[in-house]
Amino acid sequence: MTDHLAARVAGVVGPEHVLRDADVKASYETDWTRRYSGDARFVVRPGDTAELAESLRILTEAGVPVVPQGGNTGLVGGGVPRGGEVVVSSSRLSSLGEVDAVAGEVTVGAGVTLARLQEHIRAAGWNFGVDLASRDSCTIGGMIATNAGGIRVLRYGPMRAQVGGIEAARVDGSVIRRLPGLAKDNTGYDIPGLLAGSEGTLAIVTRARLRLIPQLAGRAAALLAVDGVAAALGVVSVVRAHAPSLEAAEVFFADGLDLVLRHTGLPAPFPDRAPCYLLFECAARDDPMGELVGALEAAGGFEASAVASERSQRARLWAYRERHTESINAEGVPHKLDVALPLPRLEEFEACVRGTVKKAAPEARPILFGHIADGNLHVNVLGLAADDDRATDAVLRLVAELGGSISAEHGIGVAKTRWLHLTRSESDIAAMRAIKAALDPANLLNPGVIFGKQ
Ligand code: 2HG
Ligand code: ZN
């Protein structure tokens, strides 16, 4: 059956775009975290929307489940096979439309990487509201499917807020096409909004019309040492109020910084080690350094600071934050938790979470960092076997008790399905299941993701 199916799909996409050799499939079968992997029946790389839709129709008509995959930078196992699915890769959906300078929008293929999009629109004088550390690999389709967040959510919102229109293939091979280039369109359900965050369970995104933001050439960054989350939140609230150019407010802690310094060989940012660090970036047409420094002076409450305007100097400050993920990975395979708390409960969460982990699994080592203005902390837990969920369970329960969400940006994937009920109500889940059943009645699109095994 696989031979026959592969041959039919090859008839649509060309035989060189149906990958069956174990060596060639391998990079599509294991995710970036190395925690999730499964055997793919084969991998298909359609070259355009029509090829993708027709391949999907052939596969689902045969009752074969499908896993859509973008840049494979997901962190919750939602983009790799669990065993026996066909992987539909967006890698060849790489069209880059001309920037519509009047509307401030562009239409691009789902397989375009974020870095490629940034390069394309910067050449036309524009920028994009979402930016993330995995920009060189993550794709627009995957970012929409996961409603990616990143470092600028506080100013521009998550991926959902950037999507003005969408094209997506449904499970029966039909194509939803809402690429209107209309700033206002109140004609029924918001399909782009629904597909954003649907994790490939409702349809496969093939193209998107994206809202752009003006390119702001003036940039200023500051790294601060503070003595804890309470002080950090105090600084953040004043900086937000005083610096309208604020684009990013990130946090990390002493143990994470130690790990980054050890792994990267970077020099320590300040002579003294501090419990907590804040990283701010402002962006404006003109140099926002005066505004940032003025806001920091108004805030006070920090022990040491370093500021930078020039690109390489800013990158030097960002490295302390952005190199957390790789430094943690170098120590082992972490359990990756990505939680959001209401800002008034963030201090309590940070004060409790290390103890919570220790109590659940004494040998576990939690490292925290994240997007403080969004109340979003990445809790990476090292030192536990892949199937040891003691720390995960305890941390996610703490999050639920404090009124948070078990996933702020990475999604549920297959990693968090067991805990979805902690922060989504029964009626929420029933409504989501009804949507899933309406759009994918045979459960062939990314089965197991969000809801777990049916
Ligand atoms: C980030 O903010 C990403 O850098 C990855 O969301 C977080 O590695 C992580 O846990
Ligand atoms: Zn993040």
Side-chain angles (χ1 to χ4, degrees), residues 149-151 250 321 338 369-371 376 378 409-410:
I151 55 186
E250 301 283 308
R321 159 63 180 88
D338 154 48
F369 58 99
H371 316 285
N376 175 193
H378 297 306
E409 9 176 63
H410 302 162

Side-chain angles (χ1 to χ4, degrees), residues 4-159:
H4 176 65
L5 207 57
R8 284 189 66 201
V9 173
V12 175
V13 301
E16 66 279 29
H17 298 301
V18 175
L19 314 179
R20 298 192 63 187
D21 284 357
D23 288 359
V24 187
K25 281 192 308 169
S27 66
Y28 298 84
E29 292 177 322
T30 297
D31 83 337
W32 189 86
T33 68
R34 296 163 289 162
R35 251 196 95 189
Y36 300 97
S37 70
D39 195 43
R41 191 185 284 248
F42 53 84
V43 177
V44 193
R45 296 186 311 195
D48 60 25
T49 304
E51 286 185 13
L52 188 145
E54 181 58 6
S55 306
L56 192 56
R57 190 188 65 76
I58 292 170
L59 294 166
T60 55
E61 225 171 59
V64 172
V66 162
V67 173
Q69 189 180 95
N72 199 6
T73 55
L75 298 170
V76 287
V80 286
R82 274 66 75 185
E85 301 93 337
V86 169
V87 170
V88 176
S89 162
S90 65
S91 56
R92 293 176 62 231
L93 302 180
S94 52
S95 62
L96 285 166
E98 206 181 309
V99 171
D100 177 343
V102 178
E105 293 183 344
V106 69
T107 301
V108 302
V112 169
T113 64
L114 175 58
R116 186 77 192 86
L117 171 78
Q118 288 171 335
E119 201 183 302
H120 177 62
I121 59 181
R122 274 179 196 151
W126 294 86
N127 203 346
F128 190 57
V130 170
D131 192 20
L132 345 149
S134 59
R135 58 186 75 78
D136 289 322
S137 311
C138 67
T139 59
I140 296 304
M143 290 171 70
I144 294 173
T146 54
N147 188 28
I151 55 186
R152 295 182 182 153
V153 171
L154 80 94
R155 184 152 175 191
Y156 302 111
M159 199 63 189

